[in-house]
Amino acid sequence: MIKFFRRIRQNLLLEGKTGKYLKYAIGEIVLVVIGILIALSINNWNLNRKQHNAEKEFLQGIKADLKKDKDYIDLVIERQQPKLDVFNYLNAASTKLHTENAIEVDSLFKIYFSSQRTFYPISGSFESAVSGNKINSFKDKAITSALIKLYNTTYARLIDNGNISDDRWDFLSKKYRHERRTGINESMSDAQLSALLDDMYHHFVHMRWYQNQLTDANNEIDAILNNIK
C-alpha cells in the first residue's frame, strides 16, 4: 500500500503536476492522521474495556469479602452478647450472689468465661487492588473512597481493639483459671467475689465498646454493599 502511494506521488512529480501533488500529499497526510486517530480510539476503547472489567471483577471480589466479614462480625456480636448480659446481671446482683442458687450463679460465670472471638477482616481483594495501584484508576470514586476508609480506618481500629480485648481476656482467663476449671462456689469470700467482678468489669467495659464498634462497622459495610451493583 505504501509503495502504491509512493508511485502515484512520483508519477505526479515526473508529469510536472505540482499542484495535484500537493493536494494529494495533503490528502495522504489527512488519511494517515485519521488512521492514527482511529487506532488511538480503538486502543482507548480496549483500555477502557479492560479497566471496566477489572473494576467489575474487583467489586465482585470485594462484595464477596464484605459478606463474609459481615457473617463473622455477626458471629462475634452473637458470642459476646450473652457475656454482656451476664455481667450486667451479676454486677446488679453482686450483693446477694451468695444467697442465690449456687449452681445457677456458677452457670452464669461459665457463660462469661466461655471462649472469646475477635474480628479479623478478609482483605485479599482490597490489598490486591492497592498493591497493583489499580484502585486509583477505578471510576467509582465514591465506593473506592468508602472502601479505603473501611479497610484503613474502621478495620484497623477494630483490629487494634480486638487485640486489646484479647489481651484483657487472656489476663482474666489465666488469673481465674482455677475458677474456670472448678466453678464459682459458695466458699468464695465477698472480697474475692468483689475482686473477680472488678477484673471482669475492666474486660466488660472494653467488650461493650468493641461491640458498638462492630455494630458501626456492620452498618458501614451495609452502606457499601447497597452501592455495589
Side-chain angles (χ1 to χ4, degrees), residues 9-210:
R9 291 197 305 271
Q10 289 174 347
N11 291 336
L12 290 172
L13 287 174
L14 289 173
E15 294 173 2
K17 299 177 179 179
T18 307
K20 289 185 177 181
Y21 172 79
L22 290 174
K23 291 179 181 179
Y24 178 82
I26 293 172
E28 188 176 335
I29 292 171
V30 171
L31 288 175
V32 171
V33 171
I34 291 174
I36 292 173
L37 291 176
I38 291 173
L40 288 174
S41 296
I42 293 173
N43 185 56
N44 288 335
W45 180 82
N46 282 328
L47 288 175
N48 288 334
R49 180 178 58 83
K50 289 179 181 179
Q51 183 173 323
H52 174 75
N53 290 337
E55 185 169 358
K56 185 177 179 181
E57 183 179 351
F58 164 72
L59 290 176
Q60 292 307 308
I62 282 289
K63 191 174 182 178
D65 288 351
L66 292 183
K67 286 182 177 180
K68 291 177 182 177
D69 286 345
K70 268 186 63 65
D71 289 341
Y72 196 27
I73 287 175
D74 289 339
L75 175 64
V76 175
I77 290 175
E78 182 182 343
R79 290 287 183 90
Q80 286 194 158
Q81 191 57 51
K83 295 173 181 282
L84 296 170
D85 294 338
V86 162
F87 181 83
N88 283 325
Y89 174 81
L90 291 174
N91 188 53
S94 60
T95 58
K96 58 177 182 177
L97 284 180
H98 283 167
T99 64
E100 298 285 346
N101 186 313
I103 297 177
E104 179 185 356
V105 171
D106 183 53
S107 67
L108 293 174
F109 276 104
K110 285 182 177 179
I111 291 173
Y112 193 91
F113 279 104
S114 60
S115 61
Q116 175 170 292
R117 290 286 186 93
T118 48
F119 171 73
Y120 287 92
I122 299 172
S123 55
S125 296
F126 179 78
E127 289 180 358
S128 177
V130 170
S131 63
N133 202 30
K134 296 177 183 178
I135 196 168
N136 291 324
S137 65
F138 293 153
K139 292 184 177 179
D140 199 329
K141 301 303 181 184
I143 289 181
T144 53
S145 295
L147 288 171
I148 290 171
K149 177 182 178 297
L150 176 70
Y151 281 91
N152 291 346
T153 303
T154 303
Y155 277 178
R157 186 168 60 243
L158 276 178
I159 292 172
D160 287 342
N161 280 283
N163 290 333
I164 294 172
S165 187
D166 285 339
D167 289 341
R168 294 190 179 187
W169 172 249
D170 286 342
F171 166 80
L172 193 65
S173 59
K174 288 177 182 178
K175 183 174 181 178
Y176 295 100
R177 57 184 177 272
H178 176 75
E179 286 76 12
R180 293 183 66 196
R181 181 170 57 84
T182 62
I184 306 296
N185 54 59
E186 294 178 347
S187 63
M188 178 177 281
S189 67
D190 289 341
Q192 290 174 321
L193 182 60
S194 179
L196 169 58
L197 289 173
D198 286 345
D199 287 334
M200 288 172 63
Y201 176 73
H202 291 297
H203 174 255
F204 162 81
V205 168
H206 189 270
M207 184 168 55
R208 183 177 57 189
W209 167 250
Y210 185 53

